[in-house]
Amino acid sequence: MKLSQKEAIFASEVVTRFELYNSLFLTLPFYRVKHTGTLLPFFTSHCEDSVKQNIAPSDIIESFFGQYEQYVQAADRYDLLFRFIQYIERQVVLFDAIEDSAFQKTHSSDEIESLAALLQQASSNPSMKADIRKALEEFSLRLVLTAHPTQFYPGRVLAIITDLTVALKTNELNSIHLLLQQLGKTPFFNKSKPTPVNEATSLAWFLENVFYKVVSSIQRKVEDEFETPIFNAHQLIELGFWPGGDRDGNPNVTCESTKAVSELLREFLFRCYYRDFRVLKRRVTFRGVEVYMERLQQLFYENSFIKSVEPIDLQDEILSNLNSIKEVLVRVHDGLFVDVIDDLSYKVKLFGCYFASLDIRQDSRVLRKAHLQMRATINNPYPENYDSLAEEEKLKIIQFTEEEGPSTGFSPLSDDTFQTIRLIKKMQYAGGEKASHRFIISNCQEATDILQLINLFLWSGWQKDNLSVDFVPLFETVEDLSLAGSVMESLYTNKYYKEHLAKRGNKQTIMLGFSDSTKDGGYLMANWSIYKAKIELTTIALEHGIKLAFFDGRGGPPARGGGKTHRFYATMGSEIAHEHIQLTIQGQTISSQYGSFDTAYFNIEQMVNAGIVSALDTGDKNKLSPAQKTLMDNMAETSHKTFVALREDPLFLRYLEQFSPLKLLAHINISSRPIKRESAGELKLEDLRAISFVTSWSQLKQMIPGFYGVGSALKKAKEDGVWEDVKRLYETSGQFKTMMDNCNMSMSKVNFNITAFLANDKVYGTFWKKLKNEYDLTTSLIMELTGTTVLMEQYPVERRSIALRERIVLPLVIIQHYALQQLELHKDDEAKVKIFNKLIIRTVYGIVNAGRNLA
């Protein structure tokens, strides 16, 4: 299918239908909705024309109201602005639902990258089919859902979007109209901050309504292509879960919330089983199965609605009863409805009694303090000055003795650590080992960070021979990534850790974060540092006979490692371990890429396809030559220097605080976490959470973390006479192409005209021009590199979608900047401060929701 045809399909299935159904808003029976909807197009056009003329947001708003005599009073103006915001929020939902409903039609031409196309090709090629089977026997995809402040839609709105998407597929006008009315009356945000358990409940909606069906469908589809079962020893698709377990990401998580979330996941899963069982019960009405059906009824009902004090793992008992029913159906009833039994059995094998593995994550600094405090309560060989010793000395001293100490009586964080370690054992008892078996150490800088955590387990009731836990170091900053190889070398050569890995199948998972490395070193350096670290870590693991899995902290926008993720994995090259793909799904990416059956199926299938393609790539086409690596090293270094120079500018954080909603993100009731890691004291860049950092730049429509420094790197390469080498790198390296294409995507959401009024500002004028100049430089050189005349030219449908979304939310951006300007002018007027704060906070929701992967 030609690109022009793709655009034509998008125009008819999305653009035209959005314009048609958008008109329904005018007919909704709400207060002044017709008046709001009539004025909004004029306001949007006014914003567009004014922005092109570089007019300041305050002047844009004032000149608009100057055209309407009825809006003389400030209160009336604020009222209309709030109604504009409410209207646009719902337009964004409608656009999302229309795009999702048309997903299969607009993405049909992407079959060349789909798993279905690959399997179809293999069906007539026995040798290729055998290779794919071999790859699948080793391959797994692990998707880990994380609660982030940009997951704005509460479950009630997600449910409406789901129903609206279904109604739009069949153009059920009456249902669409009713759902739009429901949408109009449904609040989009919480009145109070959610707890970690509230966040888990929100994300569990996706497990229950999307992943439960999609994961089993894809795995069965793949397995059906082969004559004999493939996935006996492992699963093709695994689910992980961070809400309620991620202490480093959210300091409000406690042992109690971890326990509550574990119980919640079990409850949601059994609800799914119970619904399927009710279908089964309506079909299997024959003699000979009554005892088994009654037992299953009891198990599914009680675990769905009655909380157990000491839940146990029921997977084997459920499967035994289902198998007994199947045996009766085959033997006595001609195998009638065996497929219904098989479907439920398959899901029980996949999800057990846990649904998704609950990962535990904590910062190494917290764990070191816990180690110090526990040492004071037990007999141990550690000297008093142990913590001040060099790493080499610590490695000689550290021992692994089983001596149970107290679980309380320490500092609050240490208490939580010891109680959670004990809780992991209970979670495994209730849901099997997969319920919770990974402990991730953030800010991991030394081998002893892992080894001391093992001590904590052995001092909390765990035995060496039954330590069914995987310890996952997280390397995130540019410096930590450079040290990762030496840390893992120390671990692999440690006698005890080597024994522990052997018991765990000689499998090691290493997490590589993206967000903080971007904040630390800029976009290009972050990408290249992770790539180099993966090569080094793979080499070391192979030398020690370790099966390595990389767990990538990716998601959201390219600035946090998102973008065209499947292409990133399909072009890893033979130097990087690729048997397992593990990544976080964050923020709006969850609802945008996995919010419906169609989108989730497509995106998961693409990821599985990427893994297989990478496994089949036994050549060197994606392997960089020494000269290409040197080229990348030089470009990354130039980019890094450029970004660090910007970051060290004294105006850097001040600019972000004054012209973006950064300071107000903490007041938005969308997350239970603070915007920075150290809650006390002034705001420092190193303490600022990457998600807040990226979100703020996206609200400014400047996307600095997604491109800054890239243009300078390309310019330097040109000046050094290696431009042709860079072009060849783009043409031949899938990794570099993906980096540049994702950068391209980031820049397509940039609009410096909105803040052009700052060009002549006495304080920030020079700083703003520095940002704009790098954007212009990067844009021109990326277009030259890619042989295009506009950004995203190679992806016309995505380009059109982004442009439409940006047009929908432009009024929100102008309102936000207007409110920020007014806030500065009226900071001593308490009543106005309250109004402007509310305007800013409300616009944040719509801007991020419309961007889908903005933060």
Side-chain angles (χ1 to χ4, degrees), residues 86 89 133 152 250 341 373 575 622 662 720 758 835:
Q86 290 175 320
E89 283 174 339
R133 182 188 177 94
F152 287 174
N250 190 342
I341 298 287
Q373 292 173 28
E575 292 180 292
N622 283 307
L662 175 62
D720 291 344
L758 292 172
I835 290 169

Side-chain angles (χ1 to χ4, degrees), residues 130-327:
D131 288 340
I132 292 175
R133 182 188 177 94
K134 184 179 179 182
L136 286 168
E137 287 172 351
E138 296 293 328
F139 175 75
S140 68
L141 168 65
R142 185 185 186 93
L143 301 173
V144 182
L145 276 66
T146 69
H148 268 263
T150 54
Q151 181 47 49
F152 287 174
Y153 291 141
R156 56 184 178 267
V157 175
L158 289 169
I160 296 172
I161 294 174
T162 299
D163 294 341
L164 187 57
T165 301
V166 172
L168 285 163
K169 278 185 177 181
T170 52
N171 293 314
E172 296 176 21
L173 196 59
N174 188 51
S175 296
I176 294 167
H177 195 255
L178 285 171
L179 287 165
L180 290 179
Q181 288 187 58
Q182 183 186 356
L183 192 67
K185 289 185 175 290
T186 301
F188 271 45
F189 55 92
N190 305 307
K191 286 188 175 180
S192 58
K193 279 190 176 293
T195 66
V197 179
N198 293 149
E199 290 175 330
T201 303
S202 177
L203 286 193
W205 186 93
F206 294 96
L207 291 177
E208 183 178 10
N209 293 280
V210 180
F211 287 97
Y212 178 72
K213 302 167 189 172
V214 172
V215 169
S216 58
S217 296
I218 291 178
Q219 182 156 319
R220 289 198 77 176
K221 175 187 174 181
V222 172
E223 199 158 33
D224 287 346
E225 292 291 326
F226 299 88
E227 290 71 30
T228 54
I230 303 174
F231 308 112
N232 290 325
H234 77 292
Q235 291 177 204
L236 174 63
I237 304 163
E238 301 173 344
L239 298 176
F241 206 72
W242 271 21
D246 178 15
R247 285 144 173 76
D248 179 51
N250 190 342
N252 298 314
V253 171
T254 64
C255 185
E256 288 73 25
S257 51
T258 302
K259 181 174 181 291
V261 170
S262 179
E263 293 169 350
L264 179 85
L265 291 173
R266 182 187 180 98
E267 178 187 321
F268 271 57
L269 175 62
F270 273 88
R271 243 188 255 169
C272 293
Y273 289 159
Y274 187 57
R275 279 196 291 269
D276 281 359
F277 176 74
R278 290 176 67 182
V279 173
L280 186 155
K281 193 176 178 182
R282 286 201 297 273
R283 297 291 170 265
V284 181
T285 53
F286 319 129
R287 294 190 183 280
V289 298
E290 296 88 349
V291 173
Y292 313 119
M293 292 291 284
E294 285 174 13
R295 180 54 179 158
L296 287 173
Q297 166 82 27
Q298 180 186 14
L299 291 175
F300 291 142
Y301 181 85
E302 287 181 354
N303 283 274
S304 295
F305 305 108
I306 303 171
K307 187 168 287 188
S308 172
V309 178
E310 291 289 338
I312 62 172
D313 187 5
L314 299 166
Q315 184 183 35
D316 289 343
E317 185 178 357
I318 293 169
L319 290 173
S320 175
N321 279 280
L322 287 169
N323 286 334
S324 295
I325 294 170
K326 180 177 180 178
E327 190 272 330

